[in-house]
Amino acid sequence: GGGGIWDFELPADGSDDLDHVPDDAPVGSRWRPRSFEPPPPEAPLTKSIIDIFLEAGSTEEALKRLPKCIFNLKDKMTFKRFKEVTEDIKPGVHWGIPFPHNFQLLREAGAAWLTKALHRAGTLPKDNCVLSVEVYELSTDSCAAESMGGQGMKGWLQVAYSKPHPKLHTELFVKLPFPYSPQNERAKNSYHGMPDESEVLANRLFGPCFPFKTPKYYFGDISYETSNYILISEKLEYKTTAWADGGKNMELKAFEVEPRIVKFKDYEMPQDGREHYAACMRAQGRLVGTYHSGGLGEKSLLQGLIPVGKVSDLEGAGWDKVRAGIASKGGFFGWMAQQSGAPKDQVCAHFDKLNSDALSLAHAFGKHSSERTKESLLLTSCSVARRSSQKSPRTSLI
């Protein structure tokens, strides 16, 4: 398939060459990924942030090769212009080639475009190509009850290669933006904010560096001219039996991926989701440790790519400083007032309402103790209160 806009030549700038990384390179480099085993040359990984830094030789040179997060499009175009360009096809900021942003365009682009895209990202050797690609849609209606999330359409690709390899996945997951509609969240996700920007960046640059396994990245890009994006990665084999059908005591085999979790239905999971979220928090802790130990690359490079500044006065404070701050302000509410910049009586009223809401929720669901529910909501509110006081809130990758 293909033709027209999909007939293009890849830039001959060497950015997709599979240069060797030194044997003593950090664990996050492409040749020493999370599994601590080099990927076979028949199924390479894209260059990680550490690979790019090693090849560039300095933070300044590495930043010249990578797009910097802009977080929203409000400084680049008017909202009227945004609505006009969401159907346009433009090159992405990561790889500089045009890409399809809906399922019909993906079918039209076909195997020829996918071959070029994987060659450009360095995830398919130059002596291999995609022979055929079948496109399957999973979620296309952002307003449906089970839309699998409001951030984008989901689907998967059945791919055949001229030179198959066990480590070269033939089933790939694909994520695309929903078409703009006043009824969906496209404007929130693509104009006022851009969570897809950091998602593409993280999958491309940090996958091999993370201290936990993530789906293998094959291609991903985003256009700042249109807000459109695409993300293609390894398709995970989730357990197909839902928690609602299998019950809270449903057994999973070793290394089996748990079923997809339906939003707001944690009560269908074992221990109302406690084990799941505890595992997530442990992974977050490993991620923070990896960042501070340099496992995600030079901090100056990360700050240049994701210029969020200091998200909160609490960042890096430690529990001792937090406890001392609470004591010096005569209690939690006084301390939160200082952190958020809001009057103390307003903070008190805010948390009083949260307490009331928490008790109502606990009574309505009958699934959690009221104290545990209150605690969860209060902790969430600490973050919301602090962030809502900032004039230009940012979402940090770390």
Side-chain angles (χ1 to χ4, degrees):
I5 195 170
W6 311 120
D7 288 336
F8 58 86
E9 296 295 328
L10 292 179
D13 61 1
S15 63
D16 52 355
D17 292 339
L18 302 180
D19 299 328
H20 181 67
V21 175
D23 291 335
D24 59 349
V27 171
S29 66
R30 182 178 56 209
W31 296 106
R32 298 178 67 191
R34 57 181 176 262
S35 62
F36 304 101
E37 296 178 1
E42 296 87 353
L45 300 176
T46 194
K47 294 178 181 178
S48 74
I49 190 169
I50 294 179
D51 295 320
I52 293 171
F53 177 80
L54 290 171
E55 292 177 4
S58 69
T59 293
E60 292 73 18
E61 288 300 314
L63 286 173
K64 293 177 182 178
R65 305 182 184 190
L66 297 168
K68 182 176 72 172
C69 287
I70 63 173
F71 304 109
N72 63 70
L73 288 178
K74 292 185 286 186
D75 293 335
K76 282 190 169 288
M77 65 181 73
T78 65
F79 187 62
K80 179 181 178 182
R81 177 63 178 164
F82 160 75
K83 292 188 288 184
E84 294 171 347
V85 298
T86 55
E87 293 303 314
D88 293 349
I89 301 172
K90 296 290 184 180
V93 296
H94 284 269
W95 301 112
I97 63 174
F99 59 86
H101 57 82
N102 61 46
F103 289 116
Q104 182 56 38
L105 290 175
L106 193 54
R107 292 185 177 97
E108 293 174 4
W113 174 84
L114 187 57
T115 296
K116 293 178 181 179
L118 301 189
H119 284 170
R120 181 68 171 143
T123 53
L124 185 69
K126 290 294 183 63
D127 63 353
N128 200 350
C129 68
V130 177
L131 296 177
S132 64
V133 55
E134 295 292 331
V135 180
Y136 298 92
E137 302 173 12
L138 296 174
S139 168
T140 58
D141 183 359
S142 61
C143 298
E146 294 294 347
S147 64
M148 304 177 104
Q151 193 173 324
M153 299 188 293
K154 284 85 173 176
W156 66 282
L157 312 177
Q158 182 72 54
V159 179
Y161 303 97
S162 62
K163 296 181 178 180
H165 188 274
K167 296 293 186 180
L168 206 53
H169 296 93
T170 56
E171 293 186 353
L172 305 178
F173 174 78
V174 60
K175 185 176 178 182
L176 303 162
F178 285 115
Y180 169 75
S181 166
Q183 281 72 48
N184 65 21
E185 296 185 328
R186 177 65 189 273
K188 184 187 81 172
N189 290 329
S190 295
Y191 182 75
H192 300 290
M194 297 182 73
D196 310 301
E197 174 188 51
S198 57
E199 184 172 357
V200 171
L201 185 80
N203 276 271
R204 175 193 170 186
L205 295 178
F206 297 102
C209 310
F210 286 149
F212 38 75
K213 192 170 183 179
T214 59
K216 180 183 175 180
Y217 165 97
Y218 276 87
F219 182 83
D221 216 332
I222 186 168
S223 169
Y224 292 153
E225 297 179 77
T226 65
S227 80
N228 289 324
Y229 67 90
I230 185 171
L231 180 60
I232 302 175
S233 57
E234 167 191 357
K235 177 175 173 280
L236 299 181
E237 292 300 325
Y238 292 92
K239 188 176 182 67
T240 56
T241 305
W243 288 115
D245 299 325
K248 292 188 174 187
N249 296 321
M250 178 172 61
E251 293 187 2
L252 277 73
K253 299 177 183 177
F255 304 109
E256 187 175 18
V257 182
E258 65 182 0
R260 184 175 69 86
I261 301 168
V262 182
K263 287 187 176 182
F264 310 116
K265 294 187 178 180
D266 298 356
Y267 54 82
E268 295 177 348
M269 302 169 62
Q271 297 186 23
D272 300 326
R274 183 179 180 277
E275 291 178 332
H276 170 86
Y277 290 109
C280 289
M281 292 302 102
R282 287 194 297 270
Q284 291 275 16
R286 292 197 298 272
L287 178 59
V288 171
T290 301
Y291 164 71
H292 284 292
S293 65
L296 300 183
E298 292 290 325
K299 292 184 181 180
S300 59
L301 177 54
L302 297 180
Q303 291 162 359
L305 283 175
I306 314 163
V308 297
K310 197 171 183 180
V311 176
S312 167
D313 293 335
L314 305 181
E315 187 175 322
W319 279 115
D320 290 341
K321 187 174 180 180
V322 170
R323 291 191 185 98
I326 292 175
S328 67
K329 295 299 173 183
F332 176 77
F333 294 130
W335 175 75
M336 274 304 299
Q338 181 195 46
Q339 297 301 317
S340 65
K344 183 175 179 179
D345 58 348
Q346 182 179 329
V347 174
C348 290
H350 173 74
F351 281 98
D352 283 344
K353 184 177 186 306
L354 275 178
N355 285 343
S356 176
D357 291 346
L359 289 170
S360 298
L361 284 171
H363 177 74
F365 284 102
K367 298 289 182 179
H368 306 279
S369 72
S370 60
E371 290 304 316
R372 189 202 297 181
T373 307
K374 283 199 300 181
E375 179 184 359
S376 299
L377 288 175
L378 287 172
L379 290 173
T380 302
S381 181
C382 291
S383 172
V384 173
R386 179 67 185 93
R387 296 172 70 83
S388 65
S389 70
Q390 296 175 322
K391 294 182 179 179
S392 299
R394 294 287 189 259
T395 301
S396 173
L397 176 67
I398 306 303

